Structure formats: C-alpha cells, structure tokens
Amino acid sequence: MAEEIKDDRIHMHIHWWELMSDSTVPAGEASIKEKTMIVGRFGAMLLSCGTSAWRVLYSMDVISKELGMRCTADIGLVSLNYTCMQGEESCAASISITTTGVNTDKLMAMERFVNEFPGKGAGMTLQEITDRLHTIKHMPGNYKPWQAGLSAGIACFGFTFLLGGGFIEMVCALVGAGLGNWLRRRMLDKHISLIPTVVVSVAFACVASVISYKIAEYGMHASTGHEAGYICAMLFIIPGFPLITGGIDLAKSHMRSGLERMSYAIMIITVATLTGWIVAWSLRFEPNDFMPLELTPSLRIGLRLFCSFIGVYGFSQMFNSPRWLAFTAGIIGMLANTLRLELVTNLHIPGAFASFIGALTAGLLASLAQKKMDVPRISISVPSIVIMVPGMYLYRGVYNLGATNVGEGAGWIVNGIFMIIALPLGLVIARAMTDKSFRYVS
C-alpha cells in the first residue's frame, strides 16, 4: 500500500531530493528525469523572484545546454510547463509556485549561479546543485517589517512632492504608507493571501493618512486643501514591477506571461483603488487638486532630483535590494525621472511621450551600470522607473468613476494607461539597443 501523504496545503512542497536516485552522481551523467528537475527548479526559483519570462527561459536554456539537453518552455505568472530533450529521450514536467513577488537580492544570487553554470555545472553533483539552490531559496530578507514600512514611507514622501504636494502632504503620506506597508509585510510573513492583504493594508494606510491630516488640521491649523495628498499614502501598493515586466514579456512575444502579469497588476490596482475610494467616501474625505507651490526653477529641479532619488531608493528596498543596489537605482531614477518631469513642465511634452523618454534614459543608464557592476539589468532598470507609474492617475480615475463623473474618470484612466504602456516600451528599446541577445528572436 502506498504511503499516505499527510499534507492539507493546496500547494504541497516538492521534496526535490526524493527525485534523485543517487545524489553523488555528476549532473552531466544523471538521468534525463533528474536533469529535467534541475532545469525546472532553476526556472521556478527565478520565476518566484519576479523576473520576466524571457529571462527565465534564457536561464533554463543555459542550464539545459550545459547538461546536454534542449529545452522548450511555456511560462506563466506562477507556473511553467516545459519539456527537456536528450537524443531520442524526452521528459516533460509542470511546476507551479505558491505565489509571486519581487526579490532582487535572490534574483542576483540566482543569475550569478546561472552565469557560473556553463563549464562547471555538469561536473557538480546533484547534491551540490540542490544545496546551492536550497541556500539561495532560504536567503533571509535584508529588511525587517518596520524597515520595509519606513522604505515605503520614504518612497511615498518623495513621490508626493513629485506629484505636486507640499511638506504637510508629504509627511502625512509618509505616515500612512509607512504604517500600511508595515502591516502588509507582517501579513505577507504570515502567508495571508493577496486580496485580504491588499484591502487591509491599503485601508490601514488610508485611515492613518486621514488621521494625520486631521491632526495637522486641528493641531497645526493646516488648510483642508492638503487633503489632496491622501492619494499618495496608498501608492506603495501599486504593482509597478509586474506591470513593467509584463510589458517586456509582451514585447518578446511571451503572451501568456505578459497577459497574466498584466492581469495580476490590474487586479491589485482595481482592489487597491476601490478600497481607497470606499475609505474616502466612508470618512467623507474628498481628495482634490494639490495646492500650488511657489518654487524657483532651480529649487524645483533640486527638489525633484532629491525626491526622485529617495523615492526610487525606497521602492528598491521594498523589492529587497541591498542598499548599494538601491542607491544605484536611485541615482539612475533621479536623473531619468527629473528629465521626464522637466520635459513636461518646460516643453509641455505629453506625459506618455515624456514617460517613454524617461524609461529609455533609465534603460540606457542601467545598461552602463550593469556592465560595471555585474548585476541583473532588471534589478536596476525596473526599480528606477517604478516611480513613473501613474498610480495617482489610476486612483483619480476610479474615484471619479465611483462618483459617476464618467468623463473625468475615463480621462484620468486613459492618460494613465498611455503612460503605463510607454514605460516598458522605453525599457524594451533601450535593451534592444544595448543587448544583442535581447535584440533577436533567437
């Protein structure tokens, strides 16, 4: 009688070591089934880090080639179906991960292992490969929940100024976003599912922001016009990474992954913006336009550079980037985003076109940095433009639609969609200009 498997989880863990007949055998001499499992584990771990399907497939090809096989794969958001072929033999498998996320630190470790694999991987034993992957999988996070909350608060603090807010709006966004992302991180650590995590953390951030405004209003006699910054407290939840990588996948004809990533991002945006709207309606809190700031051109540029840097730096830390990597992304984002904003302010270039130029600039700068630092390009380029994702446009669109201002709501959403399309397009063009392997179909 077969041994009963006692596990009530929907997604049961794969015991990879049970798939190896002899763990001391060099990987190049293992059976095709064992080689196939190695390739699949590489792919699944890369997928769990949030990288694009194109990069997952490229890495699986590198591993397969070193092990003397050919590989073809169909990759989605949380699953991959693939077949490995060796001579007249073939082995097909399907692997699914429990959830998706972004972890640039693990992504760097995985890509370094992939880059080291050619020339030495076939000589490593199955146990050595398994141990290395196990070590990477269980790498601890770089930041505790309170640090992740602080990173989100700092990011939204800078984001608020870039959207037109003043100091009071910036501080209230810092409080709301910081507490909201702290709670979100605690819920993720307890493996709470996606939708409840988004709803609770966004609602908590919004309420904390409203309380901050009320304290400023009654304690500091601040004007009610500062309520416009309420929107910025929830921008930490906007899924910029899957939005951008989804666009990259679509550009590379990985339609399944691209569409699934886009659907995932749209679901989060819809739930988050509806939650924000419901909280605002329940508290009778109506976000309006920001109060105008009287700044000289030189001061405006200086503050935009500073706020762009801290915004990108904070978002990068939310993706578990080491501080030095977050600093690099911050420098690139500072230059690219300030260029985008100045093009809109001074030359009155449409927002979508300016976003394209900003993303193109960030992509080219990230290519230069990647060659000198030997890090995954996506771990620099995507965080550097996440701050350009028009989260406020999407929220204002949903808010106005909920208030039956259909024309105004549709205008905000359409403008936001054009800007979202422009961001991955800019990165794709920059990547095609600087990366030969990305430029061609095969």
Side-chain angles (χ1 to χ4, degrees):
M1 180 180 294
E3 181 181 354
E4 182 181 359
I5 300 177
K6 296 181 179 180
D7 197 330
D8 59 358
R9 290 170 293 193
I10 296 175
H11 296 276
M12 294 187 294
H13 290 303
I14 300 174
H15 296 160
W16 297 96
W17 59 88
E18 294 180 354
L19 302 174
M20 299 182 293
S21 57
D22 184 357
S23 61
T24 62
V25 172
E29 300 174 12
S31 67
I32 187 172
K33 183 188 79 170
E34 292 167 329
K35 293 179 181 178
T36 299
M37 292 301 104
I38 291 173
V39 172
R41 193 174 186 194
F42 269 92
M45 288 183 63
L46 283 163
L47 194 62
S48 69
C49 295
T51 192
S52 63
W54 176 83
R55 193 64 192 176
V56 174
L57 181 57
Y58 175 84
S59 300
M60 292 173 71
D61 285 344
V62 170
I63 306 303
S64 299
K65 184 177 180 181
E66 173 65 14
L67 298 180
M69 301 188 300
R70 299 292 179 184
C71 178
T72 179
D74 180 27
I75 300 169
L77 177 67
V78 293
S79 63
L80 54 93
N81 305 312
Y82 67 106
T83 302
C84 292
M85 294 156 282
Q86 181 177 352
E88 297 180 353
E89 294 183 287
S90 65
C91 183
S94 178
I95 297 177
S96 148
I97 58 178
T98 55
T99 186
T100 186
V102 181
N103 191 322
T104 54
D105 201 21
K106 285 187 180 180
L107 177 59
M108 283 194 298
M110 282 299 300
E111 292 220 358
R112 286 190 185 119
F113 193 15
V114 171
N115 293 335
E116 296 169 5
F117 207 80
K120 62 180 289 188
M124 299 176 67
T125 65
L126 297 176
Q127 189 64 54
E128 288 173 337
I129 295 174
T130 299
D131 290 344
R132 179 79 176 270
L133 292 174
H134 182 80
T135 299
I136 296 173
K137 180 180 179 181
H138 292 92
M139 288 172 57
N142 292 320
Y143 308 103
K144 297 178 180 179
W146 70 267
Q147 292 173 311
L150 182 60
S151 297
I154 291 173
C156 291
F157 178 85
F159 212 158
T160 303
F161 173 79
L162 299 173
L163 293 172
F167 184 73
I168 293 178
E169 293 96 323
M170 294 166 71
V171 172
C172 293
L174 186 152
V175 173
L179 292 174
N181 198 50
W182 167 80
L183 180 60
R184 171 178 169 269
R185 172 67 183 275
R186 293 296 300 270
M187 295 179 72
L188 289 175
D189 289 345
K190 294 182 179 298
H191 306 288
I192 306 298
S193 59
L194 176 66
I195 299 302
T197 298
V198 172
V199 171
V200 173
S201 60
V202 168
F204 190 59
C206 291
V207 171
S209 177
V210 170
I211 292 174
S212 299
Y213 282 115
K214 293 304 179 183
I215 292 174
E217 183 179 341
Y218 293 110
M220 302 171 58
H221 305 289
S223 169
T224 56
H226 296 293
E227 293 180 354
Y230 163 84
I231 301 170
C232 304
M234 57 177 286
L235 295 180
F236 69 92
I237 204 70
I238 298 299
F241 218 97
L243 272 175
I244 295 166
T245 54
I248 293 173
D249 281 340
L250 290 175
K252 291 294 293 182
S253 299
H254 293 289
M255 306 304 292
R256 177 189 169 194
S257 176
L259 292 173
E260 288 184 12
R261 287 174 189 272
M262 288 290 187
S263 300
Y264 171 81
I266 290 170
M267 177 179 65
I268 293 177
I269 291 170
T270 303
V271 172
T273 52
L274 284 174
T275 301
W277 170 66
I278 290 171
V279 172
W281 182 87
S282 301
L283 299 177
R284 300 296 187 266
F285 204 76
E286 184 177 351
N288 297 310
D289 294 331
F290 288 105
M291 298 175 66
L293 300 175
E294 300 296 332
L295 300 173
T296 63
S298 58
L299 179 59
R300 183 191 67 228
I301 293 175
L303 289 174
R304 281 178 172 177
L305 287 168
F306 173 74
C307 289
S308 294
F309 173 80
I310 65 172
V312 173
Y313 184 87
F315 281 126
S316 295
Q317 288 194 335
M318 286 174 60
F319 302 144
N320 199 43
S321 297
R323 288 182 175 85
W324 60 269
L325 187 63
F327 182 86
T328 303
I331 294 296
I332 293 173
M334 173 183 76
L335 299 174
N337 192 51
T338 303
L339 172 63
R340 174 183 73 93
L341 294 172
E342 289 299 310
L343 288 174
V344 174
T345 302
N346 296 324
L347 301 182
H348 305 292
I349 290 178
F353 185 29
S355 295
F356 169 79
I357 296 175
L360 177 65
T361 303
L364 294 174
L365 293 174
S367 297
L368 294 175
Q370 185 266 342
K371 292 177 181 178
K372 294 183 178 296
M373 302 174 65
D374 191 26
V375 296
R377 191 186 317 246
I378 198 172
S379 64
I380 306 175
S381 61
V382 175
S384 68
I385 68 168
V386 164
I387 200 169
M388 302 181 192
V389 175
M392 187 188 74
Y393 283 61
L394 302 175
Y395 173 78
R396 295 291 291 265
V398 171
Y399 181 89
N400 280 284
L401 289 176
T404 67
N405 297 325
V406 178
E408 186 175 355
W412 282 106
I413 289 177
V414 169
N415 284 330
I417 289 174
F418 276 112
M419 293 171 71
I420 289 172
I421 293 172
L423 294 176
L425 183 59
L427 286 189
V428 166
I429 298 300
R431 187 70 179 265
M433 292 170 62
T434 58
D435 186 351
K436 184 178 180 180
S437 63
F438 188 87
R439 192 180 308 149
Y440 298 100
V441 175
S442 61

